[in-house]
Amino acid sequence: MKKLTFILAAAMTLFSQAAFAQGDDPMLFNHLAIGASAGFDGVGGNIALPIGNHFGIRAGYSTLPKTAFVDQNFEVNDVVTLNTRELQLETVAVHADASISSGNVLLDLYPGKRSGFHFTVGGYYAFNTQPINVTGDMRQDPVTGKQYLAPEEYGHVFANYNDLKRVTTDMDGFVHADLNVGSFMPYVGLGFGRGVKADKRVSILLDLGVLYAGDSFSVNTYDIDEQPVYMTSASVSNKDDGLIDDLMGVGVIPMLKLSIFVKLF
């Protein structure tokens, strides 16, 4: 048995060396590359393996630490009906930030044996299912200093505004709205480049595609019972120029990512 094992191992070694000598690298799980990426899903690290000359598999993790992208005053100039009184809103200080954390597994299909162009399918797992958070300061007008809510009203009175019912603030006087996505989102796209090249130490790969969020894609605020209230463009008097409705109607998230890989062996 030991002799047979030795003979088989020797034969496999000789065959592999002969194939490589002829320049016929099978590219079948015999290389490994590690890489770094930057894109709409943040920055991250990846690994890549070839599955023959027409397929490749990648896995990675990406993150975007909490980053503010809106911090300004918005003119409202509207009356909000509270359950205790009517409140004239003039200007509201709004803050929005994004925080992303996800893992992914992607399968690349190359139509040509040497082609860099590829189709990609796979999926992303979101560790943070509320990647965008928006807060509005309902304590006072940031311009005039006029008091909107008294401290004893924080989290205790609620408002009916457009199609939003029984919406309230937290105990600090801020109203919240969150973009929600599902924990798992299928991915489909195309791109250029390979994660692993037989004759190159360094390779560059560009991805363009979409994540399918489906029915899990929504913008929520919260009512007096801490239950989610779904928002539409009508909820904000179309001051978003229809952005919320457009996002919910499409149900997908665009993806653009650039990766650089270094082959280890």
Side-chain angles (χ1 to χ4, degrees):
M1 186 67 183
K2 290 183 178 180
K3 288 184 177 179
L4 178 61
T5 302
F6 175 78
I7 292 171
L8 289 174
M12 289 294 293
T13 301
L14 290 173
F15 175 80
S16 177
Q17 289 176 345
F20 282 122
Q22 296 173 13
D24 295 327
D25 188 337
M27 295 290 287
L28 189 60
F29 296 109
N30 58 331
H31 298 292
L32 173 67
I34 60 172
S37 64
F40 290 176
D41 58 343
V43 296
N46 309 269
I47 61 171
L49 289 165
I51 312 177
N53 289 298
H54 293 280
F55 295 93
I57 189 168
R58 291 179 281 148
Y61 172 82
S62 54
T63 183
L64 177 67
K66 184 171 287 189
T67 304
F69 62 93
V70 172
D71 199 354
Q72 64 185 81
N73 301 329
F74 283 88
E75 291 185 5
V76 179
N77 297 323
D78 206 349
V79 175
V80 176
T81 302
L82 304 179
N83 61 314
T84 55
R85 58 187 172 90
E86 288 192 337
L87 173 62
Q88 174 68 49
L89 293 179
E90 295 169 5
T91 306
V92 174
V94 174
H95 175 87
D97 56 53
S99 179
I100 299 172
S101 178
S102 64
N104 63 79
V105 176
L106 304 173
L107 177 67
D108 298 318
L109 166 62
Y110 296 90
K113 185 176 181 179
R114 306 294 182 188
S115 172
F117 174 76
H118 60 269
F119 299 98
T120 303
V121 295
Y124 275 68
Y125 182 85
F127 297 105
N128 177 12
T129 57
Q130 292 183 334
I132 296 180
N133 311 108
V134 181
T135 59
D137 188 348
M138 302 304 296
R139 298 173 301 176
Q140 63 181 23
D141 189 308
V143 178
T144 66
K146 169 189 171 183
Q147 185 181 62
Y148 287 150
L149 296 178
E152 60 270 18
E153 295 179 301
Y154 301 165
H156 291 98
V157 300
F158 61 83
N160 294 321
Y161 182 69
N162 294 329
D163 60 354
L164 300 178
K165 307 301 180 185
R166 296 170 55 81
V167 173
T168 190
T169 68
D170 62 19
M171 298 306 293
D172 295 316
F174 294 87
V175 64
H176 296 267
D178 302 311
L179 174 66
N180 292 266
V181 300
S183 56
F184 176 77
M185 292 176 285
Y187 173 85
V188 61
L190 52 82
F192 304 90
R194 289 177 178 258
V196 180
K197 289 185 176 181
D199 57 344
K200 300 288 185 182
R201 175 67 66 180
V202 178
S203 58
I204 298 176
L205 193 148
L206 176 67
D207 287 300
L208 303 101
V210 292
L211 292 167
Y212 178 70
D215 295 337
S216 66
F217 205 24
S218 64
V219 178
N220 295 349
T221 185
Y222 304 90
D223 68 15
I224 192 73
D225 298 316
E226 298 184 354
Q227 296 300 309
V229 178
Y230 297 105
M231 297 180 65
T232 66
S233 292
S235 305
V236 292
S237 302
N238 291 303
K239 287 182 170 61
D240 66 333
D241 295 324
L243 178 61
I244 295 177
D245 288 349
D246 290 343
L247 287 174
M248 300 309 104
V250 173
V252 298
I253 303 172
M255 179 60 63
L256 172 64
K257 181 164 65 175
L258 181 67
S259 305
I260 300 176
F261 288 91
V262 177
K263 186 174 64 176
L264 298 182
F265 59 84

